Amino acid sequence: ELAREGVVLDRHYAFRICSPSRSSLMSGRLAMHVNWVNTGITFYNPKDPVSGSAGIPRNMTGMAAKLKEAGYKTHMVGKWDAGAATPEHTPWGRGFDTFVGYHQHANDYWQEGVGFTCIGEIDVCMDKFVDFHVYNDTYKGGVTPEIAQELGCFNDTAYNQSLSATLAPQVTPTGCVNASYCLPDSCYEEAMLRARALQVIWDHDISSPLFLFFTSHLLHTPLQVPEKYLDKVDARVRD
């Protein structure tokens, strides 16, 4: 029904890597005219003060900003990866009323850090950074344990990446902190993103049109998944 009453896109083109594709979609321009280098969010070109940072140049208008002008309520959930050098580069600066997600190419599904296993880069600063954020009218900052509970995660996710001298993540790929403490599936980042997307839909006042931009983390590094999904794969292989 949603497809019948809306618009079905049966053909599209995308760039071969993530940040240029997202920058292209948000700006309405071919990637070659907006951002064709998949740089990290710390990239900076001092010779270009307007568009010298990663992502969409600040002087380009984005899709959410135009829809907001048309009266839409604009929300984003998931992976941004279209710039974060300044507030103007972030989803908040691009016209989204709210944002729950992360800025970088990838982050840890269980602890939301952006260490070596997530982005394949060794960076003294970035390897200690937790990238899971909330923007709205009253709060702009990281996802706190209280906010995580609103998204369905009631367990301590052990955000202790900054206390470690190793590049290895603090949890196993299936979310275990140690032999006796494994995080529940509800603390898997994709589960929290899904919970937020549903929350946006349920809370929306239908007197205004809704633009919800939901960009899944799945199919991206690191290779982490709840144990029950591995069990399903094992069962299929055995069959």
Side-chain angles (χ1 to χ4, degrees):
E1 182 179 350
L2 182 64
R4 287 197 305 269
E5 295 179 357
V7 177
V8 176
L9 303 179
D10 57 8
R11 183 168 60 176
H12 69 280
Y13 303 91
F15 204 71
R16 61 186 177 85
I17 43 180
C18 42
S19 184
S21 292
R22 294 161 195 277
S23 298
S24 179
L25 177 62
M26 282 288 99
S27 67
R29 295 168 170 84
L30 288 173
M32 299 304 294
H33 298 300
V34 54
N35 168 28
W36 59 274
V37 181
N38 203 48
T39 58
I41 59 175
T42 56
F43 172 81
Y44 176 61
N45 177 7
K47 295 181 180 180
D48 186 352
V50 175
S51 59
S53 300
I56 305 170
R58 287 177 293 179
N59 62 339
M60 290 187 180
T61 304
M63 182 193 303
K66 298 302 291 184
L67 289 173
K68 190 171 183 178
E69 289 178 5
Y72 280 73
K73 300 299 181 183
T74 57
H75 304 272
M76 181 179 173
V77 179
K79 174 180 174 177
W80 174 240
D81 200 16
T86 70
E88 293 173 310
H89 286 89
T90 68
W92 180 258
R94 291 297 181 185
F96 286 99
D97 296 323
T98 70
F99 166 68
V100 175
Y102 61 100
H103 300 95
Q104 182 56 291
H105 301 316
N107 65 355
D108 189 282
Y109 282 92
W110 297 104
Q111 294 182 297
E112 288 76 45
V114 287
F116 176 75
T117 58
C118 301
I119 58 175
E121 298 177 8
I122 299 177
D123 186 303
V124 174
C125 177
M126 293 300 297
D127 288 343
K128 304 300 181 182
F129 183 55
V130 174
D131 187 7
F132 198 29
H133 293 83
V134 174
Y135 300 159
N136 55 47
D137 286 335
T138 60
Y139 178 81
K140 298 176 183 64
V143 173
T144 64
E146 293 75 19
I147 294 175
Q149 289 182 17
E150 295 177 7
L151 301 175
C153 176
F154 292 88
N155 289 54
D156 180 9
T157 52
Y159 289 146
N160 58 357
Q161 185 78 8
S162 62
L163 302 180
S164 172
T166 179
L167 294 177
Q170 300 301 299
V171 297
T172 67
T174 54
C176 292
V177 179
N178 53 51
S180 60
Y181 182 32
C182 294
L183 296 168
D185 293 357
S186 59
C187 291
Y188 189 59
E189 183 182 63
E190 193 68 21
M192 289 191 278
L193 296 177
R194 181 181 59 202
R196 171 56 187 167
L198 291 173
Q199 183 184 63
V200 168
I201 295 171
W202 289 331
D203 293 345
H204 177 65
D205 182 351
I206 61 174
S207 64
S208 300
L210 169 65
F211 174 51
L212 170 59
F213 185 48
F214 177 47
T215 56
S216 173
H217 185 170
L218 292 176
L219 302 181
H220 208 296
T221 55
L223 303 180
Q224 300 171 326
V225 70
E227 186 72 37
K228 71 178 184 182
Y229 292 101
L230 293 181
D231 293 340
K232 290 181 179 180
V233 173
D234 289 341
R236 179 162 298 224
V237 171
R238 287 194 299 269
D239 293 341

